[in-house]
Amino acid sequence: MSAVPVHRVVEGPEDGPVVVFAGSLGSDLRMWEPQVVPLLERGFRVVRYDTRGHGASPVPPGPYDLDDLGADFLALLDDLDVAKAHLVGLSLGGMAGMWLGVHAPDRIASLVLCCTSAKLGPPRMWADRARRVRAEGTAAVAGAGVGRWLTPAYLERHPDRAAFLRSMISEVPAEGYAACCGAIERMDLLDVLPKITAPTLVIAGADDPATPPEEHSRPIADGIPGARLEVVANAAHLGNYEQPEEFTRLILGHLEAL
């Protein structure tokens, strides 16, 4: 387990409660833009970062595992001199959040786990996707990725935003994307969920084809003591982007109730 210095953007008052946003496979920190201003207006210090191998973060050679992504998060907190933070993670970011909730509970004030899974198979799917990306680049999977991120109705209404997200995926370095596929391929957190003690909100997209709520979100909410599940209508996998007002309302409600 070795950390890399991830690219980050930090906004908000220095004395505000720290909320760190961790993104999806294939994304960069721009995916969280809809959440920034509402949290700043409520006095939170907002930290967004690019996962290793994504955006402007370093791209160390694979393989990567969740403990590597967790180490990056802890190094980020150390670099910012933050003892404990709230973590909002979507998909891969939520997987890292669950790992941190188990292995670094003293650094996690609370968790919001969005459109994610504690075990996301079949493993061969991830191995095949990694091979394709290494051979053809991330542009080869960008269209399918956006098709999972957004509902068909949203895609039809907002072709400009769909194009922006396809470009985001296409710009991810192939090795970074592929190595993160490997981390998901080997992940199985189901048995350790009861070890998480941080107050946890699980948010699912009702129309998420990648992590359907009953198959993936509910086992997380049932496995973490005291966790609560909310399912947002008309949202696919990148629910915070497609339904920003409802996701932000749920996130703020969780944070401000603590």
PDB file of all heavy atoms in Angstrom, residues 22-28 31-32 51 54 89-94 115 149 172 177 237-238 240:
ATOM      1  N   ALA A  22     -15.274  11.846  -3.544  1.00  0.00           N
ATOM      2  CA  ALA A  22     -14.482  10.849  -4.274  1.00  0.00           C
ATOM      3  C   ALA A  22     -15.316  10.317  -5.434  1.00  0.00           C
ATOM      4  O   ALA A  22     -16.473   9.929  -5.248  1.00  0.00           O
ATOM      5  CB  ALA A  22     -14.081   9.705  -3.342  1.00  0.00           C
ATOM      6  N   GLY A  23     -14.731  10.280  -6.629  1.00  0.00           N
ATOM      7  CA  GLY A  23     -15.508  10.080  -7.841  1.00  0.00           C
ATOM      8  C   GLY A  23     -15.561   8.666  -8.378  1.00  0.00           C
ATOM      9  O   GLY A  23     -14.940   7.724  -7.880  1.00  0.00           O
ATOM     10  N   SER A  24     -16.296   8.568  -9.465  1.00  0.00           N
ATOM     11  CA  SER A  24     -16.539   7.314 -10.168  1.00  0.00           C
ATOM     12  C   SER A  24     -15.361   6.922 -11.045  1.00  0.00           C
ATOM     13  O   SER A  24     -14.571   7.768 -11.474  1.00  0.00           O
ATOM     14  CB  SER A  24     -17.787   7.485 -11.048  1.00  0.00           C
ATOM     15  OG  SER A  24     -17.952   6.419 -11.938  1.00  0.00           O
ATOM     16  N   LEU A  25     -15.269   5.645 -11.340  1.00  0.00           N
ATOM     17  CA  LEU A  25     -14.384   5.180 -12.397  1.00  0.00           C
ATOM     18  C   LEU A  25     -14.689   5.968 -13.673  1.00  0.00           C
ATOM     19  O   LEU A  25     -15.845   6.120 -14.056  1.00  0.00           O
ATOM     20  CB  LEU A  25     -14.615   3.689 -12.640  1.00  0.00           C
ATOM     21  CG  LEU A  25     -13.869   3.049 -13.809  1.00  0.00           C
ATOM     22  CD1 LEU A  25     -12.382   2.952 -13.501  1.00  0.00           C
ATOM     23  CD2 LEU A  25     -14.445   1.663 -14.109  1.00  0.00           C
ATOM     24  N   GLY A  26     -13.647   6.471 -14.320  1.00  0.00           N
ATOM     25  CA  GLY A  26     -13.823   7.188 -15.569  1.00  0.00           C
ATOM     26  C   GLY A  26     -14.130   8.656 -15.443  1.00  0.00           C
ATOM     27  O   GLY A  26     -14.325   9.342 -16.449  1.00  0.00           O
ATOM     28  N   SER A  27     -14.150   9.172 -14.216  1.00  0.00           N
ATOM     29  CA  SER A  27     -14.490  10.580 -14.006  1.00  0.00           C
ATOM     30  C   SER A  27     -13.274  11.368 -13.540  1.00  0.00           C
ATOM     31  O   SER A  27     -12.221  10.810 -13.244  1.00  0.00           O
ATOM     32  CB  SER A  27     -15.603  10.706 -12.960  1.00  0.00           C
ATOM     33  OG  SER A  27     -15.081  10.498 -11.651  1.00  0.00           O
ATOM     34  N   ASP A  28     -13.451  12.683 -13.468  1.00  0.00           N
ATOM     35  CA  ASP A  28     -12.516  13.523 -12.726  1.00  0.00           C
ATOM     36  C   ASP A  28     -13.335  14.396 -11.785  1.00  0.00           C
ATOM     37  O   ASP A  28     -14.567  14.258 -11.706  1.00  0.00           O
ATOM     38  CB  ASP A  28     -11.598  14.333 -13.648  1.00  0.00           C
ATOM     39  CG  ASP A  28     -12.335  15.264 -14.581  1.00  0.00           C
ATOM     40  OD1 ASP A  28     -13.254  15.974 -14.126  1.00  0.00           O
ATOM     41  OD2 ASP A  28     -11.989  15.308 -15.781  1.00  0.00           O
ATOM     42  N   MET A  31     -17.051  16.038 -11.991  1.00  0.00           N
ATOM     43  CA  MET A  31     -18.349  15.381 -11.859  1.00  0.00           C
ATOM     44  C   MET A  31     -19.132  15.896 -10.657  1.00  0.00           C
ATOM     45  O   MET A  31     -20.353  15.758 -10.598  1.00  0.00           O
ATOM     46  CB  MET A  31     -18.199  13.863 -11.765  1.00  0.00           C
ATOM     47  CG  MET A  31     -17.513  13.348 -10.518  1.00  0.00           C
ATOM     48  SD  MET A  31     -17.811  11.578 -10.222  1.00  0.00           S
ATOM     49  CE  MET A  31     -19.407  11.614  -9.404  1.00  0.00           C
ATOM     50  N   TRP A  32     -18.422  16.491  -9.683  1.00  0.00           N
ATOM     51  CA  TRP A  32     -19.068  16.966  -8.461  1.00  0.00           C
ATOM     52  C   TRP A  32     -19.435  18.444  -8.518  1.00  0.00           C
ATOM     53  O   TRP A  32     -19.879  18.996  -7.501  1.00  0.00           O
ATOM     54  CB  TRP A  32     -18.153  16.712  -7.267  1.00  0.00           C
ATOM     55  CG  TRP A  32     -17.939  15.268  -6.957  1.00  0.00           C
ATOM     56  CD1 TRP A  32     -16.791  14.548  -7.114  1.00  0.00           C
ATOM     57  CD2 TRP A  32     -18.898  14.348  -6.423  1.00  0.00           C
ATOM     58  NE1 TRP A  32     -16.965  13.253  -6.713  1.00  0.00           N
ATOM     59  CE2 TRP A  32     -18.251  13.100  -6.289  1.00  0.00           C
ATOM     60  CE3 TRP A  32     -20.239  14.458  -6.048  1.00  0.00           C
ATOM     61  CZ2 TRP A  32     -18.907  11.972  -5.782  1.00  0.00           C
ATOM     62  CZ3 TRP A  32     -20.886  13.338  -5.553  1.00  0.00           C
ATOM     63  CH2 TRP A  32     -20.223  12.114  -5.420  1.00  0.00           C
ATOM     64  N   THR A  51      -9.160  10.630  -8.544  1.00  0.00           N
ATOM     65  CA  THR A  51      -8.627   9.313  -8.176  1.00  0.00           C
ATOM     66  C   THR A  51      -7.304   9.067  -8.900  1.00  0.00           C
ATOM     67  O   THR A  51      -7.098   9.554 -10.017  1.00  0.00           O
ATOM     68  CB  THR A  51      -9.639   8.228  -8.577  1.00  0.00           C
ATOM     69  OG1 THR A  51     -10.869   8.474  -7.890  1.00  0.00           O
ATOM     70  CG2 THR A  51      -9.142   6.837  -8.233  1.00  0.00           C
ATOM     71  N   HIS A  54      -6.528   9.059 -12.817  1.00  0.00           N
ATOM     72  CA  HIS A  54      -7.604   9.836 -13.423  1.00  0.00           C
ATOM     73  C   HIS A  54      -7.268  11.327 -13.373  1.00  0.00           C
ATOM     74  O   HIS A  54      -6.536  11.784 -12.484  1.00  0.00           O
ATOM     75  CB  HIS A  54      -8.920   9.614 -12.675  1.00  0.00           C
ATOM     76  CG  HIS A  54      -9.531   8.266 -12.871  1.00  0.00           C
ATOM     77  ND1 HIS A  54      -8.888   7.091 -12.512  1.00  0.00           N
ATOM     78  CD2 HIS A  54     -10.735   7.887 -13.380  1.00  0.00           C
ATOM     79  CE1 HIS A  54      -9.690   6.061 -12.792  1.00  0.00           C
ATOM     80  NE2 HIS A  54     -10.810   6.522 -13.324  1.00  0.00           N
ATOM     81  N   GLY A  89     -18.801   9.501  -1.602  1.00  0.00           N
ATOM     82  CA  GLY A  89     -18.189   8.766  -2.702  1.00  0.00           C
ATOM     83  C   GLY A  89     -19.239   8.151  -3.601  1.00  0.00           C
ATOM     84  O   GLY A  89     -20.252   7.643  -3.116  1.00  0.00           O
ATOM     85  N   LEU A  90     -18.990   8.208  -4.896  1.00  0.00           N
ATOM     86  CA  LEU A  90     -19.907   7.602  -5.865  1.00  0.00           C
ATOM     87  C   LEU A  90     -19.188   6.484  -6.608  1.00  0.00           C
ATOM     88  O   LEU A  90     -18.063   6.679  -7.083  1.00  0.00           O
ATOM     89  CB  LEU A  90     -20.435   8.659  -6.841  1.00  0.00           C
ATOM     90  CG  LEU A  90     -21.554   8.185  -7.778  1.00  0.00           C
ATOM     91  CD1 LEU A  90     -22.586   9.291  -8.000  1.00  0.00           C
ATOM     92  CD2 LEU A  90     -21.000   7.707  -9.127  1.00  0.00           C
ATOM     93  N   SER A  91     -19.837   5.333  -6.680  1.00  0.00           N
ATOM     94  CA  SER A  91     -19.294   4.180  -7.392  1.00  0.00           C
ATOM     95  C   SER A  91     -17.916   3.803  -6.831  1.00  0.00           C
ATOM     96  O   SER A  91     -17.813   3.420  -5.676  1.00  0.00           O
ATOM     97  CB  SER A  91     -19.255   4.445  -8.899  1.00  0.00           C
ATOM     98  OG  SER A  91     -19.054   3.252  -9.622  1.00  0.00           O
ATOM     99  N   LEU A  92     -16.839   3.943  -7.590  1.00  0.00           N
ATOM    100  CA  LEU A  92     -15.506   3.604  -7.092  1.00  0.00           C
ATOM    101  C   LEU A  92     -15.169   4.414  -5.846  1.00  0.00           C
ATOM    102  O   LEU A  92     -14.551   3.897  -4.909  1.00  0.00           O
ATOM    103  CB  LEU A  92     -14.469   3.839  -8.189  1.00  0.00           C
ATOM    104  CG  LEU A  92     -13.015   3.532  -7.843  1.00  0.00           C
ATOM    105  CD1 LEU A  92     -12.831   2.068  -7.460  1.00  0.00           C
ATOM    106  CD2 LEU A  92     -12.099   3.911  -9.007  1.00  0.00           C
ATOM    107  N   GLY A  93     -15.585   5.677  -5.817  1.00  0.00           N
ATOM    108  CA  GLY A  93     -15.347   6.503  -4.632  1.00  0.00           C
ATOM    109  C   GLY A  93     -16.064   5.978  -3.410  1.00  0.00           C
ATOM    110  O   GLY A  93     -15.557   6.055  -2.283  1.00  0.00           O
ATOM    111  N   GLY A  94     -17.261   5.413  -3.609  1.00  0.00           N
ATOM    112  CA  GLY A  94     -17.971   4.807  -2.494  1.00  0.00           C
ATOM    113  C   GLY A  94     -17.315   3.529  -2.022  1.00  0.00           C
ATOM    114  O   GLY A  94     -17.311   3.216  -0.829  1.00  0.00           O
ATOM    115  N   CYS A 115     -24.651   5.251  -5.386  1.00  0.00           N
ATOM    116  CA  CYS A 115     -24.606   4.450  -6.607  1.00  0.00           C
ATOM    117  C   CYS A 115     -23.373   3.554  -6.632  1.00  0.00           C
ATOM    118  O   CYS A 115     -22.559   3.598  -7.559  1.00  0.00           O
ATOM    119  CB  CYS A 115     -24.618   5.367  -7.834  1.00  0.00           C
ATOM    120  SG  CYS A 115     -26.014   6.510  -7.870  1.00  0.00           S
ATOM    121  N   TRP A 149     -24.214   6.016 -17.054  1.00  0.00           N
ATOM    122  CA  TRP A 149     -24.241   7.169 -16.149  1.00  0.00           C
ATOM    123  C   TRP A 149     -25.568   7.920 -16.183  1.00  0.00           C
ATOM    124  O   TRP A 149     -25.981   8.483 -15.176  1.00  0.00           O
ATOM    125  CB  TRP A 149     -23.119   8.126 -16.510  1.00  0.00           C
ATOM    126  CG  TRP A 149     -21.768   7.722 -16.007  1.00  0.00           C
ATOM    127  CD1 TRP A 149     -21.420   6.582 -15.351  1.00  0.00           C
ATOM    128  CD2 TRP A 149     -20.555   8.486 -16.113  1.00  0.00           C
ATOM    129  NE1 TRP A 149     -20.075   6.585 -15.044  1.00  0.00           N
ATOM    130  CE2 TRP A 149     -19.527   7.740 -15.504  1.00  0.00           C
ATOM    131  CE3 TRP A 149     -20.239   9.730 -16.683  1.00  0.00           C
ATOM    132  CZ2 TRP A 149     -18.197   8.200 -15.430  1.00  0.00           C
ATOM    133  CZ3 TRP A 149     -18.933  10.182 -16.607  1.00  0.00           C
ATOM    134  CH2 TRP A 149     -17.924   9.433 -15.989  1.00  0.00           C
ATOM    135  N   VAL A 172      -9.429  10.106 -19.580  1.00  0.00           N
ATOM    136  CA  VAL A 172      -8.790   9.348 -18.503  1.00  0.00           C
ATOM    137  C   VAL A 172      -7.673   8.492 -19.091  1.00  0.00           C
ATOM    138  O   VAL A 172      -7.879   7.799 -20.092  1.00  0.00           O
ATOM    139  CB  VAL A 172      -9.823   8.467 -17.778  1.00  0.00           C
ATOM    140  CG1 VAL A 172      -9.142   7.575 -16.744  1.00  0.00           C
ATOM    141  CG2 VAL A 172     -10.884   9.329 -17.123  1.00  0.00           C
ATOM    142  N   TYR A 177      -7.410   3.930 -15.788  1.00  0.00           N
ATOM    143  CA  TYR A 177      -8.756   3.352 -15.860  1.00  0.00           C
ATOM    144  C   TYR A 177      -8.678   1.826 -15.718  1.00  0.00           C
ATOM    145  O   TYR A 177      -9.417   1.222 -14.927  1.00  0.00           O
ATOM    146  CB  TYR A 177      -9.395   3.735 -17.192  1.00  0.00           C
ATOM    147  CG  TYR A 177     -10.856   3.358 -17.329  1.00  0.00           C
ATOM    148  CD1 TYR A 177     -11.855   4.318 -17.241  1.00  0.00           C
ATOM    149  CD2 TYR A 177     -11.245   2.027 -17.566  1.00  0.00           C
ATOM    150  CE1 TYR A 177     -13.195   3.983 -17.392  1.00  0.00           C
ATOM    151  CE2 TYR A 177     -12.573   1.687 -17.706  1.00  0.00           C
ATOM    152  CZ  TYR A 177     -13.552   2.658 -17.615  1.00  0.00           C
ATOM    153  OH  TYR A 177     -14.876   2.314 -17.754  1.00  0.00           O
ATOM    154  N   HIS A 237     -26.532   5.918 -13.107  1.00  0.00           N
ATOM    155  CA  HIS A 237     -25.372   5.678 -12.255  1.00  0.00           C
ATOM    156  C   HIS A 237     -24.701   6.968 -11.766  1.00  0.00           C
ATOM    157  O   HIS A 237     -24.209   7.014 -10.639  1.00  0.00           O
ATOM    158  CB  HIS A 237     -24.362   4.812 -13.010  1.00  0.00           C
ATOM    159  CG  HIS A 237     -23.302   4.217 -12.145  1.00  0.00           C
ATOM    160  ND1 HIS A 237     -23.587   3.473 -11.013  1.00  0.00           N
ATOM    161  CD2 HIS A 237     -21.945   4.248 -12.242  1.00  0.00           C
ATOM    162  CE1 HIS A 237     -22.447   3.075 -10.452  1.00  0.00           C
ATOM    163  NE2 HIS A 237     -21.446   3.530 -11.175  1.00  0.00           N
ATOM    164  N   LEU A 238     -24.670   8.001 -12.577  1.00  0.00           N
ATOM    165  CA  LEU A 238     -24.091   9.276 -12.133  1.00  0.00           C
ATOM    166  C   LEU A 238     -25.227  10.155 -11.595  1.00  0.00           C
ATOM    167  O   LEU A 238     -25.499  11.245 -12.080  1.00  0.00           O
ATOM    168  CB  LEU A 238     -23.339   9.965 -13.270  1.00  0.00           C
ATOM    169  CG  LEU A 238     -22.192  10.886 -12.828  1.00  0.00           C
ATOM    170  CD1 LEU A 238     -21.048  10.072 -12.240  1.00  0.00           C
ATOM    171  CD2 LEU A 238     -21.683  11.731 -13.995  1.00  0.00           C
ATOM    172  N   ASN A 240     -25.723  11.965  -8.961  1.00  0.00           N
ATOM    173  CA  ASN A 240     -25.486  13.314  -8.446  1.00  0.00           C
ATOM    174  C   ASN A 240     -25.487  14.349  -9.551  1.00  0.00           C
ATOM    175  O   ASN A 240     -25.781  15.530  -9.323  1.00  0.00           O
ATOM    176  CB  ASN A 240     -24.143  13.372  -7.722  1.00  0.00           C
ATOM    177  CG  ASN A 240     -22.974  13.408  -8.691  1.00  0.00           C
ATOM    178  OD1 ASN A 240     -22.741  12.432  -9.421  1.00  0.00           O
ATOM    179  ND2 ASN A 240     -22.261  14.516  -8.747  1.00  0.00           N
TER     180      ASN A 240
END
